[in-house]
Amino acid sequence: MAPVRPLAGLRVASGGRGHASDYARSLLASLGAESDSPCDDEADEHPALAWRRSGLMALTGRAGGAARMCPVPLTSCADGALAALAALGDGLRAAPGSGATLMGVRARFAGLARQGATSPGGTCRLLACGDGHIAINLARPDDWTMVPAWLEYDGDADWAARVAELPAALLLERARLLGLAAAVSAAPTPRSWLELKLHGTPKAPRPRCANAERPLVVDLSSLWAGPLCGQLLRELGAHVVKVESSARPDGARRGPAAFFDLLNAGKASVQLDLASPAGRDQLRQLLDRADIVIEASRPRALRQMGIDAEIWLSGRRGRSWLSITGHGRQGDAAEWVAFGDDAGVGAGLSELMHRATGERLICGDAIGDPLTGLHAALAAWASWRAGGGHLLALSLDAVLRHCVSFGAPRSDDALHDRHARWTRVAKSRRNIAPAPLCFAPQSRARPLGADTAAVLSDLGLRAA
């Protein structure tokens, strides 16, 4: 079956020269768009300077040791994804380095620092196991209660020592069965960044600016990747409604507050009791009014509430459904959990860092989340511009593997040479300030549920 290319026949301006511009053109080409030829006088920022400017270099390395360079241009991928998005719509300030800045913004707000084989946020650990290394991310309070079952021990012994006794494949299988986020450190393998299927009926292609037909986005996601996607769509002109469960609000509300505000200010806040039939009915009614849905749930969880993406897409012309998962929507992988740090290990970043530096390191801070949020916004807006009708599936694993494979050195000698050269470039500047954000931060996000009554009333929906 031929791939769906929603932007086929569209020509866009994306004419810079360098890693970021090359990546932007590759993303647009994968969606069917044609880009301008590179401009000789518009050079992108060097990937090494972008890595340092983003703050990710300061977050990578052993505590008390040297800050480490990433030998693949991840921050250039972020800048390229943002440039591709800006080429499709108005409202974003896609200055050089703006995409890279988003990758380090949480750590700046939270005051995080590098911790070697432990993530800056402290929840993910890269541990030696019987035949390699495995990352285990115990990000949720309940995750720790599963460790004895994961390792089949009584909880009194040194759990890291127990990990060292067991093979990686067994540890990974058990973690996935228990719903824990885990990944084995291995060499990177490429993967497509987006699965795109035409399930509904598109409308006519829409103009670059959303003012004439402002889409309603219902954002069911939480934490980082999905909310960032929704905020980027809001900056492009969409009306975004953030929906949270009364029982389990967005965990990012617990702080840092400035980070939550950055990703959610300007969105309407709706709180629903999704444990009740009335609350689930309200959600279905709200989704029925939406033009774009953003969700980061396992498909089975939504189907248990009577919500099916494929059926929703067929209900009205021009809709777009964006699904963000850890590993994908199909088969067993649809049930596997992932967060940004462990996804980075699984995509090969820790293996590359080990080959380049000799150290086992976690790279950056939850690095899969902002990269996936940027790519998700591009996919959603491309679908909207093309008239909708698409099921758009992105995973942290797929986006990271795609980015890690972009411009990666093909041999260990080339990897060592690049790491040394880029480290010298990064250190060639004494002072380097963060690049501006691609959107203007609002003052505060709305309190939980502040707009529930107004949103339901404005859309003509029934109150509980």
Side-chain angles (χ1 to χ4, degrees):
M1 182 181 296
V4 178
R5 301 194 183 278
L7 299 181
L10 180 68
R11 188 165 191 85
V12 296
S14 180
R17 176 171 50 84
H19 285 85
S21 294
D22 288 346
Y23 190 70
R25 283 188 285 270
S26 74
L27 290 177
L28 290 166
S30 71
L31 295 168
E34 300 179 16
S35 304
D36 295 339
S37 300
C39 299
D40 291 338
D41 59 346
E42 294 185 18
D44 299 332
E45 183 173 45
H46 193 286
L49 294 177
W51 181 253
R52 182 181 163 193
R53 188 187 301 278
S54 70
L56 295 174
M57 187 167 178
L59 295 169
T60 306
R62 290 182 291 108
R68 291 299 192 179
M69 173 58 57
C70 179
V72 290
L74 292 185
T75 42
S76 296
C77 291
D79 285 334
L82 182 64
L85 180 59
L88 298 181
D90 298 319
L92 294 174
R93 301 184 299 179
S98 293
T101 294
L102 285 170
M103 295 179 69
V105 70
R106 186 183 78 156
R108 287 205 308 277
F109 285 137
L112 304 181
R114 59 183 178 274
Q115 301 188 70
T118 298
S119 64
T123 63
C124 186
R125 293 161 176 81
L126 181 60
L127 301 171
C129 55
D131 54 357
H133 287 77
I134 188 167
I136 183 73
N137 201 339
L138 305 173
R140 301 160 298 188
D142 291 345
D143 289 344
W144 279 101
T145 67
M146 305 303 295
V147 171
W150 177 48
L151 300 177
E152 294 187 344
Y153 83 131
D154 59 13
D156 294 330
D158 179 355
W159 71 283
R162 175 62 174 155
V163 171
E165 299 172 353
L166 301 173
L170 178 62
L171 288 166
L172 185 63
E173 180 184 15
R174 285 183 184 169
R176 287 172 171 170
L177 287 173
L178 293 168
L180 298 175
V184 173
S185 180
T189 55
R191 189 176 173 187
S192 175
W193 68 280
L194 171 67
E195 293 181 11
L196 190 154
K197 296 180 180 179
L198 184 65
H199 274 284
T201 304
K203 288 186 175 181
R206 296 172 171 111
R208 175 185 177 91
C209 180
N211 290 339
E213 187 181 352
R214 191 182 185 197
L216 172 62
V217 176
V218 174
D219 181 4
L220 307 179
S221 67
S222 60
L223 300 178
W224 196 346
L228 172 59
C229 171
Q231 189 69 304
L232 291 167
L233 298 184
R234 193 189 70 80
E235 290 292 324
L236 291 168
H239 174 51
V240 182
V241 176
K242 181 177 180 67
V243 179
E244 297 172 76
S245 165
S246 302
R248 294 185 63 183
D250 187 343
R253 284 189 179 273
R254 295 193 293 267
F259 177 67
F260 183 83
D261 292 340
L262 178 72
L263 298 185
N264 295 288
K267 302 176 184 177
S269 175
V270 168
Q271 177 182 208
L272 299 176
D273 179 8
L274 299 181
S276 71
R280 292 193 293 271
D281 184 58
Q282 287 176 319
L283 177 60
R284 288 190 290 268
Q285 291 181 69
L286 182 56
L287 292 177
D288 193 53
R289 303 297 198 278
D291 300 299
I292 300 171
V293 170
I294 302 169
E295 52 89 6
S297 303
R298 283 172 281 186
R300 184 177 64 179
L302 289 175
R303 291 191 186 110
Q304 288 173 344
M305 291 195 291
I307 298 167
D308 185 284
E310 289 83 356
I311 294 174
W312 180 87
L313 284 165
S314 65
R316 177 161 49 86
R317 294 175 61 227
R319 292 173 164 178
S320 300
W321 185 285
L322 178 75
S323 171
I324 300 174
T325 60
H327 293 274
R329 288 178 58 88
Q330 304 300 319
D332 292 340
E335 300 302 315
W336 299 345
V337 178
F339 299 111
D341 290 309
D342 53 276
V345 174
L349 282 176
S350 292
E351 178 63 23
L352 284 175
M353 294 302 297
H354 179 250
R355 286 163 51 193
T357 69
E359 297 176 337
R360 297 284 179 184
L361 303 170
I362 288 182
C363 200
D365 170 43
I367 204 161
D369 285 282
L371 276 172
T372 302
L374 284 160
H375 285 74
L378 173 63
W381 201 250
S383 175
W384 169 253
R385 286 286 312 269
H390 304 109
L391 174 57
L392 309 155
L394 296 91
S395 70
L396 302 182
D397 179 75
V399 170
L400 273 165
R401 288 180 186 272
H402 186 268
C403 292
V404 170
S405 66
F406 175 76
R410 297 188 176 184
S411 69
D412 279 357
D413 287 343
L415 182 73
H416 294 146
D417 177 67
R418 176 184 282 183
H419 183 266
R421 285 188 293 106
W422 283 13
T423 299
R424 289 194 296 270
V425 171
K427 292 180 177 179
S428 66
R429 301 278 186 89
R430 178 169 296 181
N431 297 308
I432 184 165
L437 288 165
C438 58
F439 47 82
Q442 304 288 325
S443 56
R444 294 296 302 273
R446 297 285 286 165
L448 178 63
D451 305 297
T452 303
V455 168
L456 295 181
S457 175
D458 288 349
L459 295 176
L461 304 181
R462 298 190 301 272

